[in-house]
Amino acid sequence: MPRHPAALVWLLCATTALTSTPAVAATGRPPGEPAGVAALLTELRELHQRTGAATEAFNETEERLAEQRAEVDRLTARLADTRSGLADARRTAGALAAAQYRHGGAADLPSVLRLLLTGDDPARALHDGTVARRAAAGQLAEISRLVEAESQAAALAGEATAALDEQRALVERQREQRDEAHRRLDELAGLLAGLSEEQLTELTALEEHTTAEAQREFLAAHAPTDEPPGSAAGQRALDWALDQLGKPYEIGAEGPDAFDPAGLAMRAWEHAGAIVPRTSARAWELLPRVPLDQLQPGDLVIYHEDTSHIALYAGDGSVVHPPAPGEPVSFTPLAVHPVEGAVRPTTGA
């Protein structure tokens, strides 16, 4: 079903409170200068996409940060184990050195030389020589183990430091991307705050008309003659997503009270027993592709060339998702944004 005509008005009310930035900062036009409704719609959609892309970048960094934190923890644990082994090796090497000092180095004398110097029984001297060689070999092994442990500890310390530095850089990048996403929201607010009621009405009407035209073209090109019923897992994912209707869009949110598009897709399929990547770009990259004329309920529709938006197919040419910043989880026509393709998660069952 189409979006409610009041969606843009709701967005205006919701986002105006976010900023006091004049409209010129968002639109590049002096206050009061009129713009064609078609140009306004183009600008609005571009801002929607940029905000979605900023949200996706934030989510991608969140994923990388979680992986990096796990890597830091892994390296820290390995370094602790290696340092413990290094301490043991140092103690063993110290004991060997002390023993060598106490015996004055006699244990290393060749057996023939010891025979000449001490007059020992030849058989006993040869036996002692064998024992000495074995002791010397053991000493070399312990020294080798100590050197290897020292080298490994140094290498791991360097890796752990580099991993921690990368984690700090990701934290800073994540902060910048969150700020960018909020800045895009401010741009939306600045754009909408400068519109009159008449412009808002015209903009809403044009948006609905444009979406309807895109929907007709999409269905003409991709609609199946008999839509397949879909899997039980896909239906479970869709049913869970439908239970979230009306919940707000929020940057980086994955429930339970708010969602961004990828957060909703991930959680819906999680409840169906499948793992879906946290970002639409990764979903497009990693999940099995499905032809657009073979869509089934629960399939994930990917939007825009940069794959920055995602929605769950709900059947009959509709999807469920938070369509844009400021708009809650809702039904929309499938072609509400330019469609890039679709993927189908699998549960392994």
Side-chain angles (χ1 to χ4, degrees):
M1 65 179 63
R3 271 181 284 175
H4 193 282
L8 290 175
V9 179
W10 187 91
L11 178 59
L12 173 62
C13 295
T15 57
T16 300
L18 293 175
T19 181
S20 59
T21 304
V24 66
T27 65
R29 297 185 305 274
E33 181 177 317
V37 174
L40 285 172
L41 180 57
T42 298
E43 194 168 358
L44 178 67
R45 290 188 165 188
E46 286 177 355
L47 284 173
H48 280 167
Q49 183 179 354
R50 290 172 189 166
T51 305
T55 299
E56 280 289 283
F58 171 83
N59 290 336
E60 178 67 25
T61 303
E62 177 75 16
E63 288 291 285
R64 288 189 58 196
L65 184 56
E67 294 168 359
Q68 193 63 36
R69 283 171 175 155
E71 176 69 1
V72 169
D73 290 344
R74 184 186 69 82
L75 287 170
T76 301
R78 281 190 60 195
L79 182 58
D81 291 343
T82 301
R83 282 175 172 164
S84 176
L86 178 58
D88 291 341
R90 283 173 175 161
R91 282 193 292 271
T92 301
L96 289 172
Q100 186 77 2
Y101 175 79
R102 285 196 301 272
H103 290 89
D108 288 331
L109 288 175
S111 57
V112 176
L113 181 59
R114 191 183 313 122
L115 175 63
L116 293 173
L117 293 176
T118 64
D120 286 345
D121 177 72
R124 176 60 182 270
L126 291 174
H127 170 75
D128 287 349
T130 300
V131 171
R133 282 193 297 274
R134 289 175 179 171
Q139 289 179 357
L140 288 174
E142 289 299 335
I143 292 171
S144 176
R145 187 166 75 91
L146 174 61
V147 171
E148 182 179 355
E150 292 272 12
S151 176
Q152 187 178 22
L156 279 172
E159 289 180 34
T161 299
L164 190 59
D165 288 343
E166 175 65 13
Q167 177 177 309
R168 292 188 181 116
L170 285 171
V171 168
E172 177 61 21
R173 189 181 312 164
Q174 185 184 46
R175 183 191 65 76
E176 292 172 356
Q177 288 166 342
R178 181 185 286 274
D179 290 347
E180 169 67 8
H182 282 291
R183 189 174 71 81
R184 294 299 183 184
L185 285 175
D186 289 350
E187 287 189 69
L188 279 168
L191 170 64
L192 294 171
L195 301 183
S196 66
E197 289 292 331
E198 180 180 359
Q199 285 177 311
L200 279 172
T201 301
E202 292 179 7
L203 185 59
T204 301
L206 179 60
E207 184 178 30
E208 291 180 349
H209 174 74
T210 303
T211 299
E213 286 294 317
Q215 181 78 354
R216 278 193 291 271
E217 291 177 7
F218 178 87
L219 293 178
H222 302 291
T225 52
D226 294 306
E227 189 169 286
S231 66
Q235 190 61 53
R236 285 196 300 273
L238 175 60
D239 289 343
W240 190 89
L242 292 174
D243 287 340
Q244 315 311 312
L245 287 172
K247 292 186 177 179
Y249 178 113
E250 182 179 313
I251 293 169
E254 51 192 58
D257 299 321
F259 296 91
D260 64 23
L264 178 68
M266 181 186 71
R267 290 301 182 208
W269 271 98
E270 181 180 83
H271 281 76
I275 296 175
V276 166
R278 180 61 181 89
T279 66
S280 55
R282 284 200 183 187
W284 179 242
E285 176 187 356
L286 300 175
L287 298 181
R289 306 279 175 90
V290 57
L292 292 170
D293 59 358
Q294 296 178 27
L295 286 173
Q296 298 175 5
D299 286 348
L300 300 176
V301 181
I302 310 295
Y303 295 91
H304 304 298
E305 290 185 1
D306 63 0
T307 63
S308 59
H309 190 83
I310 192 169
L312 286 92
Y313 185 60
D316 297 324
S318 63
V319 290
V320 59
H321 58 151
E327 298 190 36
V329 178
S330 55
F331 277 115
T332 71
L334 186 150
V336 65
H337 302 303
V339 178
E340 182 67 16
V343 296
R344 180 173 297 156
T346 57
T347 60

